[in-house]
Amino acid sequence: MKDNLVTIFGGGGFLGRQVAQALMARGARVRIAQRDLANSVKVKALGNLGQTQFVAANIRKPDTVARALHGSDIVINLVGILSGDFDAVQHEGAANVAKAAAAAGVTALVHVSAIGADANSPSAYGRSKAAGEAAVLAAFPNATIVRPSIIFGQEDQFLNRFAGVASSGPVVPVIGAATKFQPVYVGDVAEAIANAAQQPGVFGGKTFELAGPQVMSMKEINAWVAKAIGRGDKPLVEVPGAFASLLAMLPGGPITRDQLAMLGQDNVAAPGAPGLEALGVAPTPMAAVAERWMVPYRKHGRFAGRVKA
């Protein structure tokens, strides 16, 4: 990996910064390619002098994609959205990256999809992810596909969002309370992606479902968060499906119609699917790392007493 140039589309985001750090620790040069480079400068401090590059690129525009990966040895596509034109970004955009990577003759391509990618998914998100995977493999058959479950980490919009809700109101409303997840730690996902990128001869052409060691329902996750911030006494209120549907119709509401559709299915790894261990990474339990960044949500912040197990 030393001195290889790795172009990461979406490398300035929550997962991207972790992936960049994992690659730079192995001696790679990293080029961050994304539409808005404002947040990408955070990556610069993670590496040594001259180890990072930045280029503006929009995966919906093939010419910018080709320019961004010119001279690259390895390409990683992390770009995804939770609302908007899913097909344009997660299908057509993914195809643009894979076609450009094949034309450039790069040695490895890692494409980040999601558990729940399914051509028959009730959500447009899931269908677009499946179409993206198919397009990537059609253009670059030796690509590695990784499908993470919902990712947690210090800067996530998952545990932090639930902690914000639990710390503010008299009750904790829970939408999709029974839906099951296998939350996976962002550092584990980053290491798995770096391992896949480093060894295309071993991992190329394969699909991996990256999930944590625990299967938890949405209600159980919210209960864990509430307890971790010292708010375990707050009632958890399951939001009825009909009311959740009404909320999903509100502009700027807490959930979109497509996200509600996604909550209709569990988000766990398929039985027997190769995962983190197959990529050389031991899954990190949520409780082992998450409590340390839950501190600001406690009643007295870092001055609060230790939460009892």
Side-chain angles (χ1 to χ4, degrees), residues 190-293:
E191 287 296 325
I193 291 170
N195 287 347
Q198 189 170 4
Q199 301 180 73
V202 177
F203 302 119
K206 299 177 181 178
T207 298
F208 299 86
E209 300 205 344
L210 309 187
Q214 298 164 283
V215 175
M216 304 173 73
S217 70
M218 182 67 84
K219 187 173 183 178
E220 289 170 336
I221 293 170
N222 275 269
W224 183 91
V225 169
K227 185 176 181 180
I229 64 172
R231 318 274 180 160
D233 58 337
K234 287 192 176 183
L236 271 67
V237 178
E238 298 184 21
V239 177
F243 187 62
S245 296
L246 289 174
L247 291 175
M249 288 188 264
L250 296 175
I255 192 168
T256 67
R257 293 183 185 182
D258 203 72
Q259 289 167 350
L260 188 60
M262 283 191 281
L263 283 176
Q265 295 184 323
D266 292 338
N267 191 265
V268 299
L276 287 171
E277 295 95 336
L279 285 162
V281 179
T284 301
M286 198 162 66
V289 292
E291 282 192 9
R292 67 172 181 259
W293 70 77

Side-chain angles (χ1 to χ4, degrees), residues 9-10 35 58-61 65 77-98 111-112 124-125 127-129 131-133 135-136:
F9 288 91
R35 187 173 55 181
N58 184 341
I59 65 169
R60 298 177 65 174
K61 298 179 179 180
V65 173
N77 180 28
L78 305 177
V79 180
I81 56 175
L82 292 175
S83 61
D85 192 341
F86 295 115
D87 202 61
V89 175
Q90 296 176 167
H91 173 199
E92 296 171 11
N96 291 337
V97 172
H111 175 71
V112 178
Y125 175 90
R127 295 192 298 273
S128 68
K129 282 291 190 181
E133 289 183 9
V136 166

